[in-house]
Amino acid sequence: MPTIRPSADLRNNYTEISDFCHKYPEPVFITKNGLGDLAVMSIETYELLAGKMELYSLLDEGLNDDKEGNVKSRDAVFAKMHDKLGI
């Protein structure tokens, strides 16, 4: 169940919200005039989320390249690596 707090809590109960965000890897949703306005989370949670988004983007790019035939065989890749490394 998401944690939802009014915007006044950012000012009045900042430490409590901060402690929650560091204890649980999920955002706290902040409302303004009864409507959703912000999502607050710890830096660690944000970095994890951003890393997942980057990974999914790279995986999608790779799948699109494969679908379009823009790929090289494993043997060709390793041969090029051996040439560059002088192995």
Side-chain angles (χ1 to χ4, degrees):
M1 176 133 235
T3 301
I4 302 170
R5 306 285 293 258
S7 60
D9 279 2
L10 283 175
R11 178 180 60 250
N12 300 328
N13 298 308
Y14 176 84
T15 301
E16 183 182 322
I17 292 171
S18 176
D19 290 345
F20 178 89
C21 288
H22 288 284
K23 186 174 181 180
Y24 302 101
E26 61 187 58
V28 173
F29 297 99
I30 306 296
T31 61
K32 182 177 179 181
N33 298 323
L35 300 173
D37 187 48
L38 300 171
V40 179
M41 64 186 79
S42 70
I43 294 289
E44 293 83 8
T45 299
Y46 172 78
E47 289 174 345
L48 180 66
L49 182 62
K52 285 180 181 180
M53 289 173 55
E54 182 178 358
L55 174 61
Y56 295 151
S57 176
L58 291 170
L59 288 170
D60 190 50
E61 185 180 325
L63 290 171
N64 286 335
D65 281 345
D66 184 49
K67 191 185 309 183
E68 294 173 7
N70 298 330
V71 294
K72 296 179 181 174
S73 72
R74 176 184 52 96
D75 292 337
V77 171
F78 281 110
K80 187 173 184 178
M81 287 174 56
H82 284 127
D83 287 346
K84 284 191 174 194
L85 295 173
I87 299 175

